[in-house]
Amino acid sequence: MQQLIRQALEDGVELRKACVETMQQPLLDAAAIMIECLRAGGKILVCGNGGSAADAQHFAGELVNRFEMNRPGLAAIAMTHDASVITSIANDFSFDDIFSRQVEALGRDGDLLLAISTSGSSPNVIRAVDAAESIGMKVIAL
């Protein structure tokens, strides 16, 4: 067990070192797109499944409340936490539509969708991206 923990920590260090070179510019670009959206009066819609749903809620919470400093709240909605909305869409349409229907209802041209998917192949996240693009929203995918 000790060796497994040590290896996981060492792997995490190596991953972070690799990300310094490869992820710095994409993260700066994503931040700039989000800032532009919010400054223009838009909002950020966030979606994901499982652990990514928790990440979506955490991200939206940090924008709406605060992150590292007190500031005015920023417009963000995690589309992962309203059980009544999610279950009604899943029941009346399909689980694959739980985010795209919310994008149709809540998203506007100039808003941004942050789509989080570990596999990159979640049908409901992909449909949310398609819905967002069809109404002129920008999309950032993780």
Side-chain angles (χ1 to χ4, degrees), residues 69-84:
M69 65 180 182
N70 291 329
R71 52 144 173 83
L74 302 171
I77 300 169
M79 299 183 294
T80 56
H81 70 279
D82 191 328
S84 296

Side-chain angles (χ1 to χ4, degrees), residues 6-139:
R6 181 179 183 84
Q7 188 62 52
L9 292 170
E10 289 175 357
D11 290 349
V13 168
E14 290 305 313
L15 176 62
R16 284 171 179 74
K17 285 180 182 178
C19 287
V20 169
E21 296 303 319
T22 60
M23 295 303 300
Q24 185 174 4
Q25 193 58 52
L27 289 171
L28 286 169
D29 293 344
I33 293 166
M34 290 182 196
I35 290 166
E36 178 185 322
C37 168
L38 293 167
R39 283 191 174 154
K43 64 185 164 298
I44 298 175
L45 303 179
V46 195
C47 67
N49 295 294
S52 298
D55 292 338
Q57 288 176 235
H58 184 190
F59 185 83
E62 297 289 8
L63 291 181
V64 170
N65 184 26
R66 65 180 300 275
F67 179 71
E68 295 187 352
M69 65 180 182
N70 291 329
R71 52 144 173 83
L74 302 171
I77 300 169
M79 299 183 294
T80 56
H81 70 279
D82 191 328
S84 296
V85 169
I86 291 169
T87 58
S88 70
I89 295 168
N91 185 63
D92 294 349
F93 293 94
S94 163
F95 189 76
D96 291 349
D97 297 317
I98 63 168
F99 300 133
S100 60
R101 292 289 292 178
Q102 292 182 76
V103 167
E104 291 170 12
L106 303 170
R108 301 292 176 262
D109 185 15
D111 290 345
L112 183 139
L113 173 67
L114 176 59
I116 307 172
S117 174
T118 303
S119 69
S121 60
S122 300
N124 55 10
V125 174
I126 292 169
R127 286 189 186 188
V129 168
D130 293 341
E133 289 176 337
S134 75
I135 59 175
M137 293 175 64
K138 291 189 177 178
V139 175

